[in-house]
């Protein structure tokens, strides 16, 4: 009988075997034998662990799903169900989408047809409107042409009537040669025989002196009573121009009043109109120099004269005051530039004409008045000579 060592009531060492309760450990071959554990503190054997792993990997017990195989199978079954649900849903969705696409396509076709019909209707309506507009435009152009022609005819008729009226109330005045008319400046000169040969009647002036009296002319012409700037249609003067270096001009003066500020000490406003453009002027030629007012369009008709337009003077001192349409005209002044060199001013002025709402005023200049004044001066000088010669004798009678 082998020797037995007792270590308490549970552990026995008998030969090569160690017994611990129900567990036996074979120490001979280094094998530890342990009973099937039944509590959390019991040791386990390799066989026990292998059996459990095998059971997890391959157990097919339908009662307890405790293996990877069963879990995988359960997942596959669930996947199959889920795939079926997805397939069913996809099929349903595809079917619904097909139905919706079909319905939308049909609706779009209806809409497209409706739009096409509406577009056709709109184009037809636009064509009708375009034709109507074209017809209306043609009708309007025809009406405008009729109106334009009628207006043109009326304008021509009005112009003709205005010209008749101007002619009917035209007044010609032979300007007397007086110191008042000449404004204390240079008088016209007697024509020499050579100048008389030109055959152009009027007042002749040539600048031959540069003193304060003879360096320029200012021939003052009075208008109709109460003539205003708004009444003016046109001013023009006719002359035979012998020197084109410095040409005469015309100035309009207005009367002072208490309504607004006056531009000058003895007049309210003044504007000078001159021939600034001397292009193609020819010495020894007849010219009709004109200035239009208040949007008048007809140009003067002057026989055997070339028309030349006047413009506002570019000399600052020649533009004074407001020159409002309501201002009353004091007089017209036909003048020359005092700063011109001796010999650069020479002409014969035949007339100055004022056309206005009141009619036409023609101021005519004649050399006979200049010769008559010169002759009268000569007679007076001769009388004074004889008077001085016979101061101690009887006074001769004056012729």
């Amino acid at each position: 009988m082998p020797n037995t060592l007792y270590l308490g009531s549970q552990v026995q060492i008998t030969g090569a075997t160690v017994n611990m309760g129900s567990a036996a450990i074979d120490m001979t071959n280094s094998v530890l034998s342990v009973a099937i554990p039944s509590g959390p503190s019991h040791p386990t054997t390799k066989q026990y662990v292998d059996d459990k792993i095998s059971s997890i990997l391959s157990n097919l017990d339908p009662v307890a799903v405790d293996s990877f195989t069963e879990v995988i199978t359960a997942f596959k079954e669930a996947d199959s169900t889920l795939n079926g649900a997805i397939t069913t849903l996809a099929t349903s969705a595809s079917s619904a989408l097909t139905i919706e696409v079909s319905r939308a396509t049909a609706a779009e076709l209806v809409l497209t047809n409706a739009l096409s019909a509406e577009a056709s209707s709109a184009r037809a309506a636009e064509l009708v409107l375009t034709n109507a507009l074209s017809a209306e435009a043609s009708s309007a152009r025809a009406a405008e042409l009729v109106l334009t022609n009628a207006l043109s005819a009326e304008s021509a008729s009005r112009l003709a009537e205005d010209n008749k009226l101007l002619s009917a109330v035209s007044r010609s005045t032979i300007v007397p040669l007086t110191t008042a008319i000449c404004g204390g400046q240079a008088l016209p000169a007697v024509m020499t025989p050579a100048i008389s040969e030109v055959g152009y009647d009027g007042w002749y002036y040539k600048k031959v002196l540069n003193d304060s009296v003879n360096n320029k002319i200012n021939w003052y012409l009075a208008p109709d009573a109460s003539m205003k700037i708004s009444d003016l249609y046109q001013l023009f003067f006719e002359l035979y121009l012998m020197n084109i270096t410095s040409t005469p001009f015309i100035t309009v003066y207005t009367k002072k009043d208490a309504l607004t500020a006056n531009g000058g000490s003895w007049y309210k406003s003044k504007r000078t109109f001159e021939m600034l453009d001397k292009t193609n002027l020819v010495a020894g030629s007849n010219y009709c120099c004109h200035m239009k007012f208040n949007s008048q369009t007809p140009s003067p008709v002057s026989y055997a004269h070339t028309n030349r337009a006047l413009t506002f003077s570019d000399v600052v001192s020649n533009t004074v005051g407001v020159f409002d349409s309501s201002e009353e005209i004091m007089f017209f002044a036909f003048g020359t530039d005092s700063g011109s060199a001796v010999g650069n001013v020479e002409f014969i002025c035949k007339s100055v004409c004022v056309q206005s709402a009141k009619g036409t005023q023609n101021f005519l200049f004649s050399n006979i008045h200049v010769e008559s004044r010169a002759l009268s001066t000569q007679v007076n000088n001769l009388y004074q000579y004889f008077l001085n010669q016979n101061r101690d004798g009887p006074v001769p009678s004056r012729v």
Side-chain angles (χ1 to χ4, degrees):
M1 181 175 181
N3 295 328
T4 300
L5 175 64
Y6 291 96
L7 298 175
S9 61
Q10 298 295 325
V11 179
Q12 302 175 23
I13 301 176
T14 303
T17 301
V18 178
N19 295 314
M20 294 182 292
S22 60
I25 302 174
D26 186 358
M27 304 298 290
T28 304
N29 297 315
S30 300
V31 175
L32 177 62
S33 297
V34 184
I36 296 173
S38 58
S41 62
H42 294 169
T44 60
T45 64
K46 177 179 181 299
Q47 183 64 44
Y48 178 82
V49 173
D50 289 343
D51 289 343
K52 289 296 184 181
I53 292 174
S54 176
S55 176
I56 290 172
L57 293 176
S58 60
N59 180 45
L60 300 176
D61 184 1
V63 177
V65 181
D66 55 0
S67 69
F68 284 126
T69 301
E70 291 170 315
V71 171
I72 291 171
T73 301
F75 271 116
K76 286 182 178 180
E77 291 176 355
D79 285 345
S80 176
T81 302
L82 182 61
N83 287 335
I86 292 173
T87 301
T88 301
L89 182 60
T91 302
S92 176
S94 176
S95 177
L97 181 60
T98 301
I99 294 172
E100 178 60 22
V101 168
S102 178
R103 185 202 62 78
T105 302
E108 288 175 357
L109 180 59
V110 171
L111 182 59
T112 300
N113 293 336
L115 285 174
S116 178
E118 178 61 24
S120 298
S121 176
R123 284 193 292 271
E126 288 173 358
L127 181 59
V128 171
L129 181 59
T130 300
N131 292 337
L133 285 175
S134 178
E136 178 61 23
S138 298
S139 176
R141 284 193 293 270
E144 286 173 0
L145 180 60
V146 171
L147 183 60
T148 299
N149 292 337
L151 185 60
S152 177
E154 176 62 23
S155 177
S157 175
R158 176 65 182 273
L159 180 59
E161 292 300 321
D162 286 347
N163 288 335
K164 288 181 182 179
L165 180 61
L166 289 174
S167 300
V169 295
S170 177
R171 296 175 303 282
S172 296
T173 302
I174 298 178
V175 181
L177 181 54
T178 64
T179 54
I181 293 293
C182 294
Q185 299 297 143
L187 300 174
V190 176
M191 297 182 187
T192 64
I195 295 173
S196 295
E197 286 297 320
V198 173
Y200 195 92
D201 190 27
W203 284 6
Y204 167 71
Y205 172 74
K206 179 178 181 180
K207 185 172 182 177
V208 294
L209 295 174
N210 204 20
D211 56 33
S212 59
V213 175
N214 297 289
N215 62 356
K216 67 175 181 178
I217 63 167
N218 266 327
W219 299 342
Y220 295 112
L221 308 170
D224 281 335
S226 302
M227 181 183 290
K228 298 180 179 180
I229 299 298
S230 59
D231 295 324
L232 281 179
Y233 289 168
Q234 190 163 225
L235 294 178
F236 63 88
F237 52 83
E238 297 173 313
L239 51 74
Y240 176 73
L241 197 56
M242 307 165 81
N243 192 312
I244 63 173
T245 305
S246 182
T247 56
F249 46 76
I250 191 165
T251 303
V252 182
Y253 291 86
T254 61
K255 294 181 180 179
K256 291 176 63 177
D257 60 36
L259 300 177
T260 57
N262 296 301
S265 60
W266 52 271
Y267 63 89
K268 186 173 186 66
S269 301
K270 75 170 181 176
R271 292 291 186 276
T272 298
F273 310 99
E274 61 179 317
M275 191 163 36
L276 291 177
D277 181 12
K278 295 181 173 59
T279 306
N280 299 324
L281 282 180
V282 179
S285 301
N286 301 339
Y287 291 99
C288 176
C289 305
H290 60 88
M291 181 67 193
K292 299 175 184 180
F293 296 85
N294 300 310
S295 302
Q296 296 298 312
T297 56
S299 297
V301 177
S302 178
Y303 177 72
H305 289 71
T306 300
N307 279 10
R308 293 301 293 252
L310 300 174
T311 55
F312 283 104
S313 173
D314 58 355
V315 179
V316 175
S317 61
N318 288 335
T319 301
V320 180
V322 177
F323 206 67
D324 186 75
S325 60
S326 62
E327 295 179 27
E328 186 176 343
I329 298 174
M330 182 187 302
F331 52 74
F332 307 98
F334 182 78
T336 58
D337 182 9
S338 61
S340 298
V342 171
N344 282 350
V345 184
E346 186 177 10
F347 60 87
I348 303 171
C349 182
K350 178 180 182 180
S351 67
V352 172
C353 182
V354 179
Q355 289 184 338
S356 72
K358 296 178 178 293
T360 299
Q361 287 180 276
N362 285 309
F363 298 95
L364 305 178
F365 303 99
S366 178
N367 184 55
I368 188 128
H369 291 137
V370 182
E371 291 183 344
S372 176
R373 183 184 178 88
L375 181 60
S376 177
T377 300
Q378 291 174 357
V379 169
N380 284 335
N381 290 339
L382 185 61
Y383 175 79
Q384 290 297 329
Y385 172 79
F386 282 114
L387 178 62
N388 292 332
Q389 291 295 320
N390 298 280
R391 197 171 285 280
D392 296 332
V395 177
S397 62
R398 182 175 178 177
V399 178

